[in-house]
Amino acid sequence: MLLDPVKGTVFLCLTGMGTMGNIFVFVSYMHMFQSTEKKPIHLILAHLALTNIGMLLSKGMPKTMEAFNFENFLDDTSCKVVVYLARISRGLSICTSSLLTIVQAITISPGHSRWQRLKLKTPQHILSLILFFWILNSLISMNLPYCIKSINSMNITQIKKGGDYCYFVPESQTTRWIFLTLMVLRDAVFQGAMGGASGYMVLLLHKHHQHVLYLQNSKLLYRTSPELRAAQSVLLLMLCFLFFYWADCFISLIFTFFIENYSKILNVPEFLTLGYAVISPFILIHRDEHLTKCCHTQ
């Protein structure tokens, strides 16, 4: 009970700051996409911000209200929507981050590179991929509406696990393993693609660094291009994403197998789940000159 107000305050601050930061990033990139050259990466970053907003609202707000012991206002339908949106937002975050890394790797690749064959030349290609991501993650999470109930409509003996508002009703082992396998495959495929594109960008940035050192030794003036600076920003985002993703997995496993009733004491996995959604917009604001100018103007 003593920790509840502290947890509620932390959740409220993280959710509030993250939501405001992502709204600013989303509006800024959509404005740039509509008013200047229609760069596909602007659309991807705007979608990433929108995904972060969905994660913060569906995951952060309920946890804040639970920590402050607000009366349960969620019925069965509301619980299904909130948990379903949180699961889809998590999947979209992985898919969009992977797409962002791949597109940035293609952007900075040399003109004769094989990567250029994969270049997405129109925003319609990006929109098609985003639509595919929505459909994919909706299908992978389609079991949730059938196993989510509000506490108000549940008999306490039926409850398997959950939070203060919504509970997971036990489902068959077959169904559980099918959807768990699909989630693991999705994460593995997109993180593998993310890792490959990130490694390629690191190689290109290393070559660029060697070139800059040569020019400096030759006393020639050289300025880093916006594309290379954007690649550095994307790599920083990917490191941030991977840190929070694997830290969440590792700590969740420890709490599940070694610490009983951890949810009554700590919400560390929940904090880690929100970490990427909270920090990523501020990384973009700090690294992107256009966003920095917009922020100073505001």
Side-chain angles (χ1 to χ4, degrees), residues 55-123:
M55 173 65 75
L56 290 166
L57 293 180
S58 59
K59 198 79 174 179
M61 288 304 297
K63 288 297 178 182
T64 301
M65 295 178 180
E66 290 173 12
F68 283 121
N69 295 316
F70 284 108
E71 183 180 355
N72 183 13
F73 62 93
L74 297 177
D75 56 11
D76 280 352
T77 303
S78 301
C79 274
K80 294 177 190 297
V81 170
V82 169
V83 177
Y84 191 61
L85 179 60
R87 179 71 63 82
I88 290 180
S89 297
R90 179 186 177 277
L92 287 173
S93 179
I94 296 173
C95 297
T96 308
S97 298
S98 178
L99 178 63
L100 175 64
T101 313
I102 294 172
V103 169
Q104 190 60 54
I106 295 173
T107 301
I108 66 172
S109 62
H112 60 274
S113 172
R114 295 180 180 179
W115 286 80
Q116 289 295 325
R117 301 176 185 177
L118 303 175
K119 189 171 184 178
L120 303 173
K121 298 181 179 180
T122 63

Side-chain angles (χ1 to χ4, degrees), residues 4-298:
D4 283 347
V6 176
K7 291 189 293 185
T9 303
V10 174
F11 272 122
L12 181 62
C13 292
L14 291 177
T15 303
M17 288 192 305
T19 302
M20 294 302 296
N22 281 291
I23 289 175
F24 174 77
V25 169
F26 174 77
V27 172
S28 299
Y29 278 123
M30 289 304 297
H31 177 71
M32 283 189 278
F33 180 77
Q34 294 174 356
S35 61
T36 60
E37 182 183 355
K38 298 184 182 301
K39 294 183 178 180
I41 197 167
H42 289 163
L43 195 58
I44 299 173
L45 288 168
H47 184 256
L48 180 61
L50 183 63
T51 300
N52 290 338
I53 293 171
M55 173 65 75
L56 290 166
L57 293 180
S58 59
K59 198 79 174 179
M61 288 304 297
K63 288 297 178 182
T64 301
M65 295 178 180
E66 290 173 12
F68 283 121
N69 295 316
F70 284 108
E71 183 180 355
N72 183 13
F73 62 93
L74 297 177
D75 56 11
D76 280 352
T77 303
S78 301
C79 274
K80 294 177 190 297
V81 170
V82 169
V83 177
Y84 191 61
L85 179 60
R87 179 71 63 82
I88 290 180
S89 297
R90 179 186 177 277
L92 287 173
S93 179
I94 296 173
C95 297
T96 308
S97 298
S98 178
L99 178 63
L100 175 64
T101 313
I102 294 172
V103 169
Q104 190 60 54
I106 295 173
T107 301
I108 66 172
S109 62
H112 60 274
S113 172
R114 295 180 180 179
W115 286 80
Q116 289 295 325
R117 301 176 185 177
L118 303 175
K119 189 171 184 178
L120 303 173
K121 298 181 179 180
T122 63
Q124 285 72 23
H125 294 152
I126 297 296
L127 290 174
S128 299
L129 286 173
I130 290 175
L131 178 61
F132 168 72
F133 292 159
W134 277 90
I135 295 174
L136 173 67
N137 288 284
S138 298
L139 293 176
I140 290 178
S141 304
M142 65 184 299
N143 66 313
L144 284 180
Y146 300 98
C147 60
I148 299 296
K149 296 286 185 180
S150 171
I151 185 177
N152 295 332
S153 62
M154 292 291 296
N155 184 331
I156 196 65
T157 59
Q158 296 176 293
I159 294 172
K160 186 178 188 310
K161 62 177 180 178
D164 293 332
Y165 289 168
C166 304
Y167 286 92
F168 290 84
V169 180
E171 54 184 348
S172 67
Q173 290 285 345
T174 303
T175 302
R176 184 186 312 164
W177 280 107
I178 287 175
F179 285 97
L180 180 61
T181 302
L182 291 174
M183 288 175 59
V184 171
L185 284 175
R186 176 203 60 197
D187 291 3
V189 169
F190 282 99
Q191 288 197 50
M194 187 189 306
S198 298
Y200 179 68
M201 280 197 291
V202 169
L203 179 62
L204 291 178
L205 290 174
H206 176 69
K207 291 182 177 179
H208 169 261
H209 180 67
Q210 297 295 325
H211 182 58
V212 170
L213 290 178
Y214 169 75
L215 293 176
Q216 287 177 346
N217 292 332
S218 302
K219 298 182 179 179
L220 296 175
L221 180 63
Y222 186 83
R223 184 178 179 182
T224 303
S225 66
E227 289 78 12
L228 291 176
R229 181 175 173 83
Q232 294 170 351
S233 302
V234 170
L235 283 175
L236 187 58
L237 277 177
M238 293 312 100
L239 287 175
C240 179
F241 172 82
L242 291 174
F243 168 77
F244 283 109
Y245 178 90
W246 288 107
D248 181 21
C249 293
F250 181 71
I251 292 180
S252 295
L253 287 175
I254 290 178
F255 282 174
T256 300
F257 291 104
F258 298 105
I259 303 178
E260 296 181 358
N261 297 324
Y262 75 89
S263 60
K264 302 299 182 182
I265 305 171
L266 297 171
N267 290 93
V268 177
E270 285 77 7
F271 287 127
L272 292 173
T273 301
L274 298 179
Y276 179 65
V278 173
I279 293 178
S280 59
F282 297 102
I283 293 177
L284 290 172
I285 292 172
H286 175 69
R287 297 283 304 176
D288 194 322
E289 294 179 355
H290 298 290
L291 288 181
T292 304
K293 291 178 182 177
C294 290
C295 187
H296 289 164
T297 302
Q298 294 296 327

